[in-house]
Amino acid sequence: MTDPVIELTEVGKSFGSNRVLRNISLTVGHGESFALIGSSGTGKSVAIKCILGLMRPDTGRISLFGRETGGRDAAMYDRIGMLFQEGALFDSMCVWHNVAFRLMRGERKLAPARAKEIAVRKLERVGLGAETADLYPSELSGGMKKRVGLARAIATDPELIFFDEPTTGLDPIRATMINDLIRGIVTESGATAVTITHDMGSVMKISNRAGLLHAGEIVWLGSSDTLKTESNPFIRQFVEGSSEGPISVAI
Amino acid sequence: MHRIVLSIRWVGRLTIRACAGVGRFTIFTAHAFSHVFRPPFYFRELLNAVLAIGYFSLPVVALTALFAGGALALQIYAGGSRFDAQATVPSVVAIGMVRELGPVLCGLMVAGRAASAIAAELATMKVTDQIDALTTLSTDPVKFLVTPRVVAAALVMPVLTGVGDILGIMGGYLVGVYRLGFNSAAYLQTTLQFLQRPDVTSGLAKAAVFGLIIALVGCYFGMNSGRGAKGVGRATTGAVAASSALIIASNYVLTEIFFPA
Ligand SMILES: Nc1ncnc2c1ncn2[C@@H]1O[C@H](COP(=O)(O)OP(=O)(O)O)[C@@H](O)[C@H]1O
Ligand SMILES: [Mg+2]
């Protein structure tokens, strides 16, 4: 494997008595597309927030781009794009302002006209017409919000992109479209990608390696291509969508 | 015995939690202030905050001050007549409004309107991950969201209070002239002669401090909101209660500082 972009060593995180992450060690190499699988509420979003420095893990170490993450480092974030689970669009700003947010600030500080031009191009890349640019997030459907979030995540062509449940809540057709989009974006940019999902179709389509999070630990790590034939009981249960197996789900 | 241990533990826990909260709020305040003079500046955010906190609070502040001034005139007249001091109405209304009622009423009204609105907005941003999104877009959320609101509130509150002072005195004047039979010109003349510069400036300085409290508390409760709609609701009510209490308490301290007995 090439030099790691993300490295987690024995990371643990609890909220009160709720031990969400117990002991996670994980490495994602440069140019890799990694999928983090797990049922709802297992701490996938928490894991990403810890990696991004948005939450502080209780134990363990995390490094990004070969440097241990400590304080919030604007230069580090400049190399990263993040699609939040619910989009997390700024609802006080119109769509193109959302997409161009980072373009108009910091060292780039592009003039609004130029920033809008790029924002519209990114919106087109994710399949949204220029007419959406002036809408506000409250005027968008769920699928459109995901796309705008996607456009915002890739606006500055980051080297490392996180996608938190990009297809959850979408119909199967739109889910496939988003999967294709993400695969296209990741392959054409050569960025390292981490996708959180519980949709096995997504995993096989957009990632080359995957890990399964269960009860605060990574219980399986392997190639996404062999998922279908994998004999690991956790993976079998996920692939088959069965209620019988090692993963017991409280209703 | 057991009960005593339990209650001591309870008091201890509460004390620790209170100290931790004060500490966190202090660090938060220092963080917000540290960005006041450090670029980049978010003028657009500042302007929006000035409009939201200041401009849209004008009607409610004006109405409150007008009626409070009127009521004050009636009370002072009634109270003063017990020892033949009805003539003090113009001067006591003026000093009461400018030193105390103007800033405090204005602070409480704006706390109700703006601290709640700020807390609700930021709490909603928090529970929908917008605050985390700001961070991942290389923007410090405190600098982007808190500092402009704090600066705006500190600038706008003295102006609102100035308007409130004038309208409060107007309220006293209207009641004095039309209900209590004061001579119009004499009423105004007494007011102007009696008021001294420190009366006015101390009130406006209080207002600036109240502005800081309103914005800081509103932002703090919003950014530390719990999860879900419940979290937003609790942040909002918490912000109003805490900022109102802090305004009343700090008003006493400021009065001691400005006018020691
Ligand atoms: N800020 C928080 N405070 C307390 N508990 C949290 C917080 N964020 C997440 N959790 C808890 O952590 C667990 C994992 O949440 P999450 O990472 O969002 O799950 P998912 O795998 O579906 O993304 C849940 O039990 C959730 O209640
Ligand atoms: Mg999640």
Side-chain angles (χ1 to χ4, degrees):
Chain A
M1 195 159 63
T2 50
D3 42 322
V5 173
I6 305 173
E7 207 168 2
L8 278 75
T9 321
E10 295 172 358
V11 169
K13 174 79 186 168
S14 305
F15 297 101
S17 60
N18 181 7
R19 276 183 79 186
V20 177
L21 305 178
R22 281 167 196 272
N23 185 353
I24 307 274
S25 294
L26 176 68
T27 328
V28 178
H30 184 82
E32 219 177 4
S33 178
F34 182 81
L36 184 59
I37 317 167
S39 46
S40 301
T42 46
K44 305 181 296 294
S45 296
V46 168
I48 284 215
K49 285 183 179 174
C50 287
I51 295 174
L52 282 168
L54 301 170
M55 277 181 187
R56 195 188 292 271
D58 306 326
T59 56
R61 279 174 298 123
I62 297 173
S63 57
L64 277 180
F65 305 113
R67 276 181 48 197
E68 196 153 324
T69 51
R72 299 177 171 192
D73 173 0
M76 180 195 80
Y77 288 120
D78 258 350
R79 305 168 68 180
I80 298 175
M82 166 81 185
L83 169 63
F84 283 87
Q85 191 166 345
E86 312 287 343
L89 301 179
F90 304 126
D91 36 35
S92 62
M93 298 176 202
C94 66
V95 163
W96 81 262
H97 261 141
N98 265 283
V99 176
F101 189 85
R102 186 145 65 183
L103 295 168
M104 295 196 291
R105 277 156 238 278
E107 275 155 31
R108 290 182 196 84
K109 217 168 173 55
L110 300 182
R114 174 90 187 100
K116 183 168 184 180
E117 207 180 295
I118 297 177
V120 168
R121 194 152 16 93
K122 296 291 177 187
L123 285 169
E124 275 162 5
R125 177 68 190 88
V126 299
L128 292 172
E131 71 282 356
T132 44
D134 292 311
L135 297 178
Y136 278 81
S138 57
E139 299 170 279
L140 305 178
S141 70
M144 286 163 92
K145 280 184 189 161
K146 287 246 158 89
R147 284 168 192 259
V148 175
L150 203 54
R152 185 173 72 179
I154 61 169
T156 53
D157 304 314
E159 301 162 49
L160 171 60
I161 318 178
F162 294 89
F163 305 97
D164 192 347
E165 302 206 12
T167 58
T168 304
L170 299 183
D171 61 67
I173 302 167
R174 288 196 170 77
T176 306
M177 284 160 70
I178 293 278
N179 282 334
D180 289 341
L181 250 178
I182 289 179
R183 183 164 69 170
I185 287 165
V186 170
T187 43
E188 80 197 33
S189 68
T192 307
V194 174
T195 309
I196 291 183
T197 182
H198 39 223
D199 165 7
M200 299 313 273
S202 289
V203 178
M204 289 181 250
K205 189 165 244 163
I206 64 187
S207 70
N208 39 44
R209 208 161 64 91
L212 177 68
L213 186 64
H214 175 69
E217 315 219 17
I218 293 200
V219 293
W220 179 84
L221 259 179
S223 159
S224 308
D225 305 326
T226 60
L227 267 178
K228 273 213 170 98
T229 54
E230 179 61 46
S231 62
N232 179 296
F234 290 99
I235 292 293
R236 290 252 45 86
Q237 192 183 350
F238 244 93
V239 172
E240 287 157 12
S242 154
S243 62
E244 310 268 305
I247 306 176
S248 57
V249 179
I251 300 168
Chain B
M1 187 61 210
H2 189 61
R3 196 174 292 167
I4 296 176
V5 172
L6 275 183
S7 52
I8 290 176
R9 188 182 294 167
W10 184 76
V11 169
R13 215 172 265 157
L14 219 63
T15 313
I16 291 172
R17 201 179 297 166
C19 289
V22 170
R24 271 199 301 273
F25 183 69
T26 310
I27 293 170
F28 177 79
T29 302
H31 186 173
F33 281 143
S34 74
H35 286 291
V36 171
F37 297 110
R38 202 161 4 127
F41 302 110
Y42 300 121
F43 289 113
R44 211 186 136 97
E45 305 303 310
L46 181 68
L47 194 71
N48 282 340
V50 165
L51 283 181
I53 301 168
Y55 186 69
F56 296 117
S57 296
L58 263 176
V60 57
V61 165
L63 264 180
T64 314
L66 193 69
F67 283 106
L72 193 60
L74 286 178
Q75 292 281 23
I76 293 161
Y77 187 83
S81 63
R82 291 181 196 163
F83 40 92
D84 246 356
Q86 298 95 319
T88 56
V89 167
S91 38
V92 179
V93 165
I95 208 165
M97 269 324 288
V98 167
R99 279 191 184 190
E100 280 292 324
L101 275 183
V104 171
L105 280 180
C106 186
L108 292 179
M109 297 320 281
V110 178
R113 261 198 92 260
S116 56
I118 291 173
E121 186 182 0
L122 267 56
T124 305
M125 291 186 73
K126 161 96 177 175
V127 301
T128 56
D129 285 336
Q130 292 178 52
I131 297 205
D132 281 343
L134 276 174
T135 306
T136 65
L137 293 169
S138 320
T139 301
D140 180 343
V142 171
K143 183 178 184 66
F144 186 75
L145 297 171
V146 181
T147 305
R149 286 174 171 77
V150 170
V151 172
L155 291 176
V156 135
M157 270 295 290
V159 177
L160 279 175
T161 302
V163 172
D165 288 349
I166 292 168
L167 281 162
I169 291 173
M170 279 284 296
Y173 164 86
L174 290 174
V175 169
V177 170
Y178 294 104
R179 288 276 291 114
L180 308 172
F182 278 83
N183 174 280
S184 160
Y187 190 106
L188 287 179
Q189 204 175 12
T190 319
T191 301
L192 289 176
Q193 271 171 1
F194 186 76
L195 272 186
Q196 290 172 351
R197 190 183 299 250
D199 299 329
V200 180
T201 50
S202 69
L204 299 185
K206 278 181 178 180
V209 173
F210 299 163
L212 292 178
I213 290 173
I214 288 165
L216 282 168
V217 171
C219 290
Y220 180 79
F221 273 79
M223 291 191 69
N224 291 290
S225 148
R227 297 186 301 153
K230 207 174 191 174
V232 177
R234 286 170 74 157
T236 309
T237 45
V240 176
S243 58
S244 305
L246 271 177
I247 284 172
I248 301 288
S250 65
N251 177 60
Y252 177 78
V253 176
L254 291 168
T255 308
E256 279 280 9
I257 294 172
F258 290 132
F259 306 103

